[in-house]
Amino acid sequence: MKRRVSTSDKNRWADHYTQKARKENYPARSVYKLQEIQQKTRLIRKGNRVLDLGCAPGSWLIYAARLIGESGQAVGIDLKPVTTKLPSNASAHIGDLMNLSETLHDMPGAPFDVVLSDMAPDTTGNKTLDAIRSAGLAESALSIACKHLVKGGMFACKIFQGSDFDPFVENVRREFDTVRIFKPKSSRKASKEIFVIGLGKT
Ligand SMILES: C[S@@+](CC[C@H](N)C(=O)[O-])C[C@H]1O[C@@H](n2cnc3c(N)ncnc32)[C@H](O)[C@@H]1O
């Protein structure tokens, strides 16, 4: 018989990742989504230059900085400041990525080996509207990746599934050798979020 998932079960689940993040000194449990993506695709490598779009509060940035080591460089951008202390090979900048693409040429580390986007809109509760906004952010991330990735570069991007999801995947397919769609275990089952991964910028 199927067991209903109670609110307390959901809270326990959330607590598991929150507590693990706290123990491992990450400011957010979203780090485990990138960790799963990394285990599946080996997206980020030692010495890489990584651009992290929507980087606050900074857990992806810290994890990426660990993977790339001292010879690499991780640069993050977000509407909000990152207040967590970052390692010396990582930096965070404030900016709105819906209209910042051109100025990214001047960023330290550009052009990049990897572009990540965990950008998400403030959710309204209206799933259709949230998905449209998420797709706008994902398209903006893809356009940044196309302008600022090296040939052969990698891309991983969050999007909420909705009517713009399939066209977005097609747009990524046009720009990369291989495309994978991935729902991490650490992502809430009820969440519409999913990751589109582009391997090998053409
Ligand atoms: C889920 S959080 C990212 C968490 C981050 N990956 C981490 O592990 O710490 C999503 C972020 O996207 C950012 N964001 C949303 N719209 C943005 C925009 N237009 N420009 C820059 N950042 C944006 C939000 O401010 C928010 O911090």
Side-chain angles (χ1 to χ4, degrees):
M1 194 174 75
K2 243 187 175 175
R3 193 171 68 91
R4 281 180 87 100
V5 178
S6 68
T7 308
S8 64
D9 280 345
K10 282 186 195 159
N11 289 343
R12 260 200 300 281
W13 177 91
D15 278 353
H16 165 72
Y17 286 108
T18 308
Q19 281 172 12
K20 189 167 153 66
R22 210 168 289 146
K23 251 189 238 154
E24 294 177 0
N25 285 326
Y26 289 108
R29 61 188 169 74
S30 45
V31 67
Y32 301 110
K33 299 174 199 170
L34 182 58
Q35 206 171 77
E36 287 183 58
I37 293 169
Q38 176 68 10
Q39 280 158 3
K40 197 176 167 66
T41 61
R42 284 204 67 224
L43 201 73
I44 303 169
R45 296 175 189 216
K46 211 172 171 56
N48 275 174
R49 290 154 302 162
V50 177
L51 177 63
D52 180 12
L53 308 174
C55 65
S59 64
W60 280 29
L61 209 46
I62 294 169
Y63 177 66
R66 287 180 185 162
L67 292 174
I68 60 183
E70 288 191 356
S71 58
Q73 194 165 14
V75 179
I77 302 174
D78 201 290
L79 293 169
K80 299 176 209 153
V82 170
T83 52
T84 309
K85 187 171 166 24
L86 295 173
S88 58
N89 59 347
S91 61
H93 308 262
I94 294 178
D96 182 350
L97 290 156
M98 290 302 274
N99 48 39
L100 201 73
S101 181
E102 292 308 324
T103 54
L104 292 175
H105 285 294
D106 303 331
M107 291 300 271
F112 297 93
D113 302 295
V114 182
V115 172
L116 307 171
S117 174
D118 194 24
M119 278 194 284
D122 284 337
T123 48
T124 60
N126 177 333
K127 298 258 185 241
T128 308
L129 181 61
D130 292 346
I132 290 170
R133 289 187 176 162
S134 163
L137 291 169
E139 287 293 355
S140 180
L142 176 60
S143 141
I144 290 168
C146 289
K147 285 196 187 104
H148 302 285
L149 266 180
V150 297
K151 190 170 162 50
M154 311 292 202
F155 177 59
C157 182
K158 174 158 85 184
I159 181 168
F160 296 170
Q161 281 171 289
S163 57
D164 294 329
F165 174 71
D166 288 340
F168 177 68
V169 174
E170 272 321 299
N171 290 342
V172 178
R173 217 179 285 287
R174 267 196 280 279
E175 302 289 344
F176 290 85
D177 288 331
T178 307
V179 173
R180 298 213 182 138
I181 314 292
F182 184 55
K183 172 88 176 170
K185 285 196 190 76
S186 51
S187 172
R188 281 195 174 85
K189 299 267 177 303
S191 164
K192 287 273 179 202
E193 74 177 7
I194 196 154
F195 290 84
V196 180
I197 300 163
L199 304 172
K201 175 79 185 75
T202 53

PDB file of all heavy atoms in Angstrom, residues 7-25:
ATOM      1  N   THR A   7       3.520  15.886   6.408  1.00  0.00           N
ATOM      2  CA  THR A   7       4.288  17.125   6.510  1.00  0.00           C
ATOM      3  C   THR A   7       5.546  16.896   7.334  1.00  0.00           C
ATOM      4  O   THR A   7       6.611  17.388   7.026  1.00  0.00           O
ATOM      5  CB  THR A   7       3.421  18.208   7.171  1.00  0.00           C
ATOM      6  OG1 THR A   7       2.212  18.250   6.442  1.00  0.00           O
ATOM      7  CG2 THR A   7       4.083  19.557   7.139  1.00  0.00           C
ATOM      8  N   SER A   8       5.416  16.067   8.415  1.00  0.00           N
ATOM      9  CA  SER A   8       6.590  15.863   9.262  1.00  0.00           C
ATOM     10  C   SER A   8       7.657  15.065   8.510  1.00  0.00           C
ATOM     11  O   SER A   8       8.845  15.302   8.675  1.00  0.00           O
ATOM     12  CB  SER A   8       6.206  15.178  10.555  1.00  0.00           C
ATOM     13  OG  SER A   8       5.719  13.897  10.272  1.00  0.00           O
ATOM     14  N   ASP A   9       7.248  14.130   7.619  1.00  0.00           N
ATOM     15  CA  ASP A   9       8.226  13.407   6.790  1.00  0.00           C
ATOM     16  C   ASP A   9       8.967  14.389   5.887  1.00  0.00           C
ATOM     17  O   ASP A   9      10.175  14.315   5.714  1.00  0.00           O
ATOM     18  CB  ASP A   9       7.529  12.373   5.898  1.00  0.00           C
ATOM     19  CG  ASP A   9       7.206  11.111   6.678  1.00  0.00           C
ATOM     20  OD1 ASP A   9       7.763  10.957   7.777  1.00  0.00           O
ATOM     21  OD2 ASP A   9       6.390  10.314   6.179  1.00  0.00           O
ATOM     22  N   LYS A  10       8.189  15.305   5.283  1.00  0.00           N
ATOM     23  CA  LYS A  10       8.803  16.282   4.372  1.00  0.00           C
ATOM     24  C   LYS A  10       9.798  17.145   5.129  1.00  0.00           C
ATOM     25  O   LYS A  10      10.874  17.451   4.638  1.00  0.00           O
ATOM     26  CB  LYS A  10       7.715  17.176   3.762  1.00  0.00           C
ATOM     27  CG  LYS A  10       6.956  16.507   2.637  1.00  0.00           C
ATOM     28  CD  LYS A  10       6.012  17.496   2.012  1.00  0.00           C
ATOM     29  CE  LYS A  10       4.999  16.791   1.143  1.00  0.00           C
ATOM     30  NZ  LYS A  10       3.805  17.606   0.935  1.00  0.00           N
ATOM     31  N   ASN A  11       9.419  17.538   6.360  1.00  0.00           N
ATOM     32  CA  ASN A  11      10.315  18.373   7.142  1.00  0.00           C
ATOM     33  C   ASN A  11      11.588  17.628   7.511  1.00  0.00           C
ATOM     34  O   ASN A  11      12.678  18.184   7.469  1.00  0.00           O
ATOM     35  CB  ASN A  11       9.620  18.873   8.419  1.00  0.00           C
ATOM     36  CG  ASN A  11       8.561  19.897   8.077  1.00  0.00           C
ATOM     37  OD1 ASN A  11       8.560  20.450   6.977  1.00  0.00           O
ATOM     38  ND2 ASN A  11       7.655  20.132   9.001  1.00  0.00           N
ATOM     39  N   ARG A  12      11.410  16.312   7.832  1.00  0.00           N
ATOM     40  CA  ARG A  12      12.595  15.503   8.155  1.00  0.00           C
ATOM     41  C   ARG A  12      13.539  15.457   6.973  1.00  0.00           C
ATOM     42  O   ARG A  12      14.735  15.577   7.084  1.00  0.00           O
ATOM     43  CB  ARG A  12      12.171  14.077   8.530  1.00  0.00           C
ATOM     44  CG  ARG A  12      12.144  13.854  10.033  1.00  0.00           C
ATOM     45  CD  ARG A  12      12.220  12.377  10.361  1.00  0.00           C
ATOM     46  NE  ARG A  12      11.130  11.610   9.817  1.00  0.00           N
ATOM     47  CZ  ARG A  12       9.913  11.558  10.358  1.00  0.00           C
ATOM     48  NH1 ARG A  12       9.644  12.233  11.446  1.00  0.00           N
ATOM     49  NH2 ARG A  12       8.976  10.823   9.809  1.00  0.00           N
ATOM     50  N   TRP A  13      12.940  15.302   5.763  1.00  0.00           N
ATOM     51  CA  TRP A  13      13.727  15.228   4.538  1.00  0.00           C
ATOM     52  C   TRP A  13      14.511  16.528   4.339  1.00  0.00           C
ATOM     53  O   TRP A  13      15.696  16.541   4.060  1.00  0.00           O
ATOM     54  CB  TRP A  13      12.761  14.987   3.370  1.00  0.00           C
ATOM     55  CG  TRP A  13      13.424  14.967   2.040  1.00  0.00           C
ATOM     56  CD1 TRP A  13      13.920  13.880   1.393  1.00  0.00           C
ATOM     57  CD2 TRP A  13      13.674  16.080   1.197  1.00  0.00           C
ATOM     58  NE1 TRP A  13      14.461  14.260   0.193  1.00  0.00           N
ATOM     59  CE2 TRP A  13      14.324  15.604   0.060  1.00  0.00           C
ATOM     60  CE3 TRP A  13      13.424  17.441   1.303  1.00  0.00           C
ATOM     61  CZ2 TRP A  13      14.718  16.426  -0.983  1.00  0.00           C
ATOM     62  CZ3 TRP A  13      13.813  18.271   0.271  1.00  0.00           C
ATOM     63  CH2 TRP A  13      14.454  17.750  -0.856  1.00  0.00           C
ATOM     64  N   ALA A  14      13.799  17.652   4.524  1.00  0.00           N
ATOM     65  CA  ALA A  14      14.439  18.953   4.357  1.00  0.00           C
ATOM     66  C   ALA A  14      15.554  19.115   5.377  1.00  0.00           C
ATOM     67  O   ALA A  14      16.638  19.586   5.072  1.00  0.00           O
ATOM     68  CB  ALA A  14      13.410  20.059   4.519  1.00  0.00           C
ATOM     69  N   ASP A  15      15.285  18.670   6.612  1.00  0.00           N
ATOM     70  CA  ASP A  15      16.267  18.799   7.669  1.00  0.00           C
ATOM     71  C   ASP A  15      17.542  18.022   7.367  1.00  0.00           C
ATOM     72  O   ASP A  15      18.630  18.472   7.684  1.00  0.00           O
ATOM     73  CB  ASP A  15      15.688  18.256   8.980  1.00  0.00           C
ATOM     74  CG  ASP A  15      14.833  19.312   9.636  1.00  0.00           C
ATOM     75  OD1 ASP A  15      14.835  20.437   9.133  1.00  0.00           O
ATOM     76  OD2 ASP A  15      14.161  18.985  10.620  1.00  0.00           O
ATOM     77  N   HIS A  16      17.403  16.856   6.750  1.00  0.00           N
ATOM     78  CA  HIS A  16      18.569  16.026   6.453  1.00  0.00           C
ATOM     79  C   HIS A  16      19.590  16.820   5.631  1.00  0.00           C
ATOM     80  O   HIS A  16      20.759  16.891   5.982  1.00  0.00           O
ATOM     81  CB  HIS A  16      18.126  14.765   5.695  1.00  0.00           C
ATOM     82  CG  HIS A  16      19.257  14.049   5.052  1.00  0.00           C
ATOM     83  ND1 HIS A  16      20.187  13.340   5.796  1.00  0.00           N
ATOM     84  CD2 HIS A  16      19.645  13.956   3.759  1.00  0.00           C
ATOM     85  CE1 HIS A  16      21.089  12.841   4.972  1.00  0.00           C
ATOM     86  NE2 HIS A  16      20.784  13.189   3.727  1.00  0.00           N
ATOM     87  N   TYR A  17      19.128  17.433   4.534  1.00  0.00           N
ATOM     88  CA  TYR A  17      20.054  18.188   3.672  1.00  0.00           C
ATOM     89  C   TYR A  17      20.504  19.498   4.324  1.00  0.00           C
ATOM     90  O   TYR A  17      21.654  19.905   4.174  1.00  0.00           O
ATOM     91  CB  TYR A  17      19.410  18.454   2.307  1.00  0.00           C
ATOM     92  CG  TYR A  17      19.373  17.211   1.460  1.00  0.00           C
ATOM     93  CD1 TYR A  17      18.188  16.546   1.200  1.00  0.00           C
ATOM     94  CD2 TYR A  17      20.555  16.681   0.935  1.00  0.00           C
ATOM     95  CE1 TYR A  17      18.163  15.387   0.444  1.00  0.00           C
ATOM     96  CE2 TYR A  17      20.540  15.521   0.179  1.00  0.00           C
ATOM     97  CZ  TYR A  17      19.341  14.878  -0.072  1.00  0.00           C
ATOM     98  OH  TYR A  17      19.328  13.733  -0.809  1.00  0.00           O
ATOM     99  N   THR A  18      19.597  20.124   5.062  1.00  0.00           N
ATOM    100  CA  THR A  18      19.959  21.382   5.737  1.00  0.00           C
ATOM    101  C   THR A  18      21.044  21.119   6.770  1.00  0.00           C
ATOM    102  O   THR A  18      22.038  21.849   6.839  1.00  0.00           O
ATOM    103  CB  THR A  18      18.714  22.001   6.414  1.00  0.00           C
ATOM    104  OG1 THR A  18      17.683  22.075   5.437  1.00  0.00           O
ATOM    105  CG2 THR A  18      18.991  23.377   6.965  1.00  0.00           C
ATOM    106  N   GLN A  19      20.857  20.050   7.544  1.00  0.00           N
ATOM    107  CA  GLN A  19      21.836  19.742   8.600  1.00  0.00           C
ATOM    108  C   GLN A  19      23.176  19.318   8.006  1.00  0.00           C
ATOM    109  O   GLN A  19      24.227  19.719   8.481  1.00  0.00           O
ATOM    110  CB  GLN A  19      21.305  18.620   9.492  1.00  0.00           C
ATOM    111  CG  GLN A  19      20.293  19.131  10.490  1.00  0.00           C
ATOM    112  CD  GLN A  19      19.621  17.990  11.250  1.00  0.00           C
ATOM    113  OE1 GLN A  19      20.063  16.843  11.189  1.00  0.00           O
ATOM    114  NE2 GLN A  19      18.553  18.317  11.934  1.00  0.00           N
ATOM    115  N   LYS A  20      23.104  18.538   6.925  1.00  0.00           N
ATOM    116  CA  LYS A  20      24.335  18.094   6.249  1.00  0.00           C
ATOM    117  C   LYS A  20      25.105  19.325   5.737  1.00  0.00           C
ATOM    118  O   LYS A  20      26.317  19.419   5.906  1.00  0.00           O
ATOM    119  CB  LYS A  20      23.925  17.178   5.089  1.00  0.00           C
ATOM    120  CG  LYS A  20      25.059  16.456   4.394  1.00  0.00           C
ATOM    121  CD  LYS A  20      24.451  15.364   3.516  1.00  0.00           C
ATOM    122  CE  LYS A  20      25.271  14.983   2.309  1.00  0.00           C
ATOM    123  NZ  LYS A  20      26.538  14.351   2.587  1.00  0.00           N
ATOM    124  N   ALA A  21      24.371  20.279   5.131  1.00  0.00           N
ATOM    125  CA  ALA A  21      25.015  21.497   4.616  1.00  0.00           C
ATOM    126  C   ALA A  21      25.671  22.271   5.753  1.00  0.00           C
ATOM    127  O   ALA A  21      26.799  22.751   5.619  1.00  0.00           O
ATOM    128  CB  ALA A  21      23.976  22.359   3.893  1.00  0.00           C
ATOM    129  N   ARG A  22      24.965  22.357   6.861  1.00  0.00           N
ATOM    130  CA  ARG A  22      25.503  23.095   8.014  1.00  0.00           C
ATOM    131  C   ARG A  22      26.807  22.438   8.481  1.00  0.00           C
ATOM    132  O   ARG A  22      27.810  23.100   8.692  1.00  0.00           O
ATOM    133  CB  ARG A  22      24.463  23.100   9.131  1.00  0.00           C
ATOM    134  CG  ARG A  22      24.547  24.343   9.993  1.00  0.00           C
ATOM    135  CD  ARG A  22      23.349  24.476  10.909  1.00  0.00           C
ATOM    136  NE  ARG A  22      22.123  24.825  10.208  1.00  0.00           N
ATOM    137  CZ  ARG A  22      20.900  24.400  10.550  1.00  0.00           C
ATOM    138  NH1 ARG A  22      20.747  23.586  11.569  1.00  0.00           N
ATOM    139  NH2 ARG A  22      19.834  24.785   9.882  1.00  0.00           N
ATOM    140  N   LYS A  23      26.760  21.093   8.598  1.00  0.00           N
ATOM    141  CA  LYS A  23      27.938  20.345   9.076  1.00  0.00           C
ATOM    142  C   LYS A  23      29.116  20.541   8.136  1.00  0.00           C
ATOM    143  O   LYS A  23      30.261  20.598   8.543  1.00  0.00           O
ATOM    144  CB  LYS A  23      27.597  18.850   9.130  1.00  0.00           C
ATOM    145  CG  LYS A  23      27.465  18.326  10.545  1.00  0.00           C
ATOM    146  CD  LYS A  23      27.349  16.812  10.533  1.00  0.00           C
ATOM    147  CE  LYS A  23      26.047  16.425  11.206  1.00  0.00           C
ATOM    148  NZ  LYS A  23      25.492  15.161  10.782  1.00  0.00           N
ATOM    149  N   GLU A  24      28.823  20.600   6.830  1.00  0.00           N
ATOM    150  CA  GLU A  24      29.896  20.674   5.832  1.00  0.00           C
ATOM    151  C   GLU A  24      30.231  22.115   5.450  1.00  0.00           C
ATOM    152  O   GLU A  24      30.931  22.357   4.475  1.00  0.00           O
ATOM    153  CB  GLU A  24      29.493  19.839   4.605  1.00  0.00           C
ATOM    154  CG  GLU A  24      29.404  18.361   4.956  1.00  0.00           C
ATOM    155  CD  GLU A  24      28.925  17.464   3.809  1.00  0.00           C
ATOM    156  OE1 GLU A  24      28.657  17.984   2.716  1.00  0.00           O
ATOM    157  OE2 GLU A  24      28.825  16.253   4.042  1.00  0.00           O
ATOM    158  N   ASN A  25      29.687  23.062   6.219  1.00  0.00           N
ATOM    159  CA  ASN A  25      29.995  24.495   6.029  1.00  0.00           C
ATOM    160  C   ASN A  25      29.555  25.070   4.694  1.00  0.00           C
ATOM    161  O   ASN A  25      30.278  25.869   4.098  1.00  0.00           O
ATOM    162  CB  ASN A  25      31.491  24.755   6.230  1.00  0.00           C
ATOM    163  CG  ASN A  25      31.857  24.720   7.684  1.00  0.00           C
ATOM    164  OD1 ASN A  25      31.057  25.123   8.534  1.00  0.00           O
ATOM    165  ND2 ASN A  25      33.027  24.198   7.964  1.00  0.00           N
TER     166      ASN A  25
END
